[in-house]
């Protein structure tokens, strides 16, 4: 856990412990803007909760970071779902499910600093294929 986040005012709601290499599932709120936990990808069971006044504010806040692997929106409103899909600068948007939802046929990957290509059968085949041109003049 980044102690600067807690020192700066973040509140740990659950977890926050570490035993060696194991990080306990952690939920935080009021994470200060600009600290590592607010700006960088966390490879562990950590989530930061942010209060926002509107969907536009939520999209703007999500787009502030330099990473963009996947995002999720939970809504019954299709207009809101498509607004998020259009507005979020990420590699994939999952509607009404977790961002760990994945099928092998889906093009998985991110944008910004999370973007180094895509995974999935189509992309794997392209990586293992050398395209050639053959012309005949009979």
């Amino acid at each position: 856990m980044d102690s600067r986040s807690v020192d700066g005012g973040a509140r740990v709601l659950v977890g926050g412990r570490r035993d060696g290499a194991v990080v306990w599932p952690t939920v935080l709120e009021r994470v200060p803007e600009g600290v590592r936990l607010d700006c960088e990808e966390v490879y562990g069971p950590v989530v930061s909760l942010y209060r926002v006044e509107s969907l536009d504010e939520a999209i703007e806040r999500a787009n502030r970071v330099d990473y963009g692997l996947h995002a999720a929106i939970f809504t019954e409103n299709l207009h809101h779902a498509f607004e998020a899909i259009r507005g979020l600068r990420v590699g994939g948007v999952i509607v009404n499910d977790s961002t760990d939802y994945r099928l092998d046929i889906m093009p998985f990957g991110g944008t910004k600093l999370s973007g180094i290509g895509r995974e999935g059968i189509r992309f794997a085949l392209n990586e293992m294929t050398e395209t050639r041109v053959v012309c005949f003049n009979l």
Side-chain angles (χ1 to χ4, degrees):
M1 179 68 56
D2 182 11
S3 63
R4 289 173 288 190
S5 299
V6 175
D7 293 345
R11 182 172 160 222
V12 178
L13 300 177
V14 174
R17 294 189 343 196
R18 181 177 178 169
D19 295 324
V22 176
V23 176
W24 288 60
T26 301
V27 178
L28 300 109
E29 69 175 355
R30 296 193 313 252
V31 175
E33 198 168 319
V35 297
R36 284 182 63 193
L37 195 60
D38 180 57
C39 299
E40 297 182 10
E41 290 182 304
V42 177
Y43 288 97
V46 177
V47 64
S48 300
L49 305 177
Y50 298 90
R51 291 185 190 272
V52 293
E53 297 297 322
S54 67
L55 179 57
D56 287 339
E57 183 184 352
I59 292 169
E60 186 275 327
R61 183 153 191 44
N63 286 337
R64 276 187 214 165
V65 297
D66 294 328
Y67 301 91
L69 191 53
H70 275 193
I73 179 171
F74 291 82
T75 182
E76 294 178 353
N77 185 318
L78 280 178
H79 174 74
H80 289 169
F82 281 102
E83 191 175 336
I85 291 165
R86 283 189 299 273
L88 289 165
R89 294 191 314 266
V90 295
V93 177
I94 308 298
V95 179
N96 294 336
D97 208 340
S98 166
T99 57
D100 67 353
Y101 177 78
R102 181 173 173 198
L103 301 172
D104 287 338
I105 62 170
M106 293 169 59
F108 179 80
T111 61
K112 303 184 263 185
L113 294 179
S114 296
I116 58 168
R118 292 288 182 267
E119 298 175 15
I121 188 66
R122 177 178 146 216
F123 300 94
L125 286 173
N126 285 340
E127 286 295 316
M128 295 185 285
T129 301
E130 184 175 319
T131 304
R132 298 181 349 170
V133 174
V134 176
C135 297
F136 286 87
N137 183 354
L138 300 175

